[in-house]
Amino acid sequence: MTALGYYGEFGGRFVAETLVPALAQLERAVHEIVLREPFQREWRDLLSSYVGRPTPLWRAERLSRAVDPSGDLLGELWLKREDLCHTGAHKINNALGQVLLAKKLGKTRVIAETGAGQHGVATATAAAMMGLPCAVYMGAVDVARQAPNVARMRLLGARVLPVESGSRTLKDAMNEALRDWVTHVADTHYCVGSAAGPHPYPMLVAELQRVIGDEARAEWAEGPGGLPDTVVACVGGGSNAIGMFRAFISDPVELYGVEAAGEGLDTERHAATLTRGRVGVLHGARTLVLSDDDGQILEAHSVSAGLDYPGVGPEHAALLRSGRAKYLAVTDAEAVAALHLVARTEGILVALETAHAFAGLPAIARAEHARLGRPARVALCLSGRGDKDLATVAEHTP
Ligand SMILES: *Cc1c(COP(=O)(O)O)cnc(C)c1O
């Protein structure tokens, strides 16, 4: 990444002039506060005593046999258990870091956008614990389909603000949060939930999520030994994936992201930004987006609210272009089937977002076997737990 916040041709800072000073302040704060020892010590103490880190790396033997009964393609499958984090997903790593930073910067209010509600819950949690008022923008469609998380945020003392514009999902919630920030920039920190948005957010969020990959790498060395052949994660905005990828990017390890093909890539109802997107600007960054011939942003669709976003973090767009990471897309039906399979073989109810990573495994195991000439040893980021999705899963289960 260059000083201007570009990853190859992607990234940058395309925002209203009023936000430029705040983003410049945040960029300085990343270097002068976040990356330095005192902040790192305080944040890592919270990660261990409040979040429950380090999360374990679990060997999924029954699942790997179910995915590949012969054992010829998939050698070993290990799961990085982010579902065991306080609040049930990796989102808390980032939210705690950003709310802690907001306090250091003297901000007196935090705002966030949320899709599935996981980032809203994580931000509301961190804000409650550190005593800051919190407002969360959430598309009205998501408010309806993620009721348990809305109730959680309200119990935690956050104001949940339903957004009625556009497709009434994550994209619109982020628009509204940016609008709020423009008017309250002096006292408010905008806690962005993924490795997306204007510079320095993609870098800040990646720095706060790299703890996932750093731990997984050390745990792999201690457990199975050496390095995995292959690392897999689902991709919405891209934060759990980049957090996992960071630690292995200089190693001979193949990186796979799995995004949402919704009702199919041949329909218009999907969220496969990396597979099908075009270059455009969304939420302050130049990246790959779902857009029409006039450059208008299209509505995304995924059964999983956390992947229902027509953009993606700029670093993933660059990793796709350079070929360093590979991306595939799986459908709603494939993700729901994978969720059932993981539950029955491993006793773990994963989030619908995470289920996409699992649904990608058969194709990834085949490709990796062809590349390596032997069964692959795979580390998969189990980004979150599925309690929030029970109603949606019941609806989509034949
Ligand atoms: C939000 C969420 C995602 C998608 O977001 P990324 O920024 O791409 O990680 C994936 N899994 C879970 C459990 C989530 O809550």
Side-chain angles (χ1 to χ4, degrees), residues 1-356:
M1 194 192 65
T2 67
L4 295 167
Y6 277 89
Y7 304 85
E9 65 175 292
F10 301 107
R13 182 185 285 166
F14 298 84
V15 293
E17 226 169 303
T18 36
L19 289 183
V20 172
L23 290 166
Q25 179 197 34
L26 196 58
E27 182 182 359
R28 277 194 308 278
V30 173
H31 297 288
E32 291 167 13
I33 300 173
V34 176
L35 297 178
R36 296 216 174 141
E37 178 57 25
F39 181 95
Q40 286 287 318
R41 201 181 319 118
E42 196 174 344
W43 172 60
R44 283 173 193 273
D45 277 350
L46 287 173
L47 289 180
S48 84
S49 56
Y50 188 72
V51 174
R53 304 204 72 90
T55 59
L57 192 67
W58 163 251
R59 180 161 186 187
E61 282 194 56
R62 277 171 45 76
L63 175 63
S64 67
R65 277 202 303 278
V67 169
D68 174 29
S70 65
D72 292 344
L73 301 177
L74 185 56
E76 284 178 40
L77 174 62
W78 294 75
L79 310 177
K80 180 60 174 161
R81 297 287 307 275
E82 293 300 294
D83 59 317
L84 297 178
C85 290
H86 179 44
T87 70
H90 67 291
K91 298 263 167 42
I92 191 75
N93 306 324
N94 169 52
L96 264 188
Q98 286 200 45
V99 176
L100 186 60
L101 178 61
K103 288 212 74 145
K104 308 266 176 225
L105 292 173
K107 306 284 177 173
T108 54
R109 174 176 178 259
V110 211
I111 59 170
E113 85 295 332
T114 199
Q118 288 300 106
H119 175 59
V121 168
T123 307
T125 298
M129 192 263 278
M130 293 188 228
L132 284 183
C134 173
V136 180
Y137 289 93
M138 187 171 192
V141 167
D142 293 333
V143 170
R145 66 178 164 175
Q146 303 287 341
N149 274 343
V150 174
R152 268 181 207 118
M153 286 184 267
R154 290 187 169 140
L155 275 172
L156 292 161
R159 278 176 67 210
V160 179
L161 305 165
V163 176
E164 299 287 353
S165 56
S167 55
R168 299 179 294 149
T169 58
L170 182 54
K171 155 178 78 72
D172 315 290
M174 195 157 176
N175 283 335
E176 222 42 61
L178 280 165
R179 216 163 283 151
D180 177 315
W181 203 32
V182 168
T183 36
H184 301 103
V185 67
D187 65 352
T188 297
H189 175 71
Y190 177 15
C191 184
V192 172
S194 192
H199 179 61
Y201 282 106
M203 163 182 91
L204 170 61
V205 176
E207 283 297 336
L208 295 171
Q209 291 294 3
R210 66 170 299 161
V211 61
I212 306 172
D214 288 344
E215 281 178 15
R217 195 175 194 284
E219 288 161 339
W220 192 286
E222 284 245 320
L227 286 167
D229 300 308
T230 316
V231 164
V232 181
C234 67
V235 179
S239 71
N240 86 93
I242 209 69
M244 192 75 176
F245 289 1
R246 276 272 163 122
F248 300 99
I249 213 143
S250 310
D251 298 317
V253 171
E254 199 79 320
L255 310 173
Y256 280 92
V258 185
E259 55 179 359
E263 292 174 7
L265 293 180
D266 48 356
T267 71
E268 284 190 344
R269 290 176 57 76
H270 63 76
T273 323
L274 290 155
T275 312
R276 283 298 164 88
R278 321 183 201 196
V279 177
V281 170
L282 179 62
H283 297 139
R286 182 181 156 91
T287 184
L288 290 170
V289 299
L290 301 178
S291 62
D292 66 17
D293 290 339
D294 298 326
Q296 289 300 306
I297 301 298
L298 295 169
E299 291 182 13
H301 166 80
S302 168
V303 68
S304 135
L307 303 185
D308 199 345
Y309 181 59
V312 66
E315 194 169 358
H316 286 291
L319 289 171
L320 170 74
R321 278 292 154 82
S322 71
R324 177 63 191 92
K326 297 191 159 60
Y327 298 89
L328 62 155
V330 303
T331 63
D332 290 348
E334 289 168 323
V336 171
L339 181 146
H340 282 280
L341 182 66
V342 180
R344 289 182 189 177
T345 55
E346 295 297 334
I348 303 172
L349 260 178
V350 302
L352 274 169
E353 292 81 8
T354 315
H356 286 71

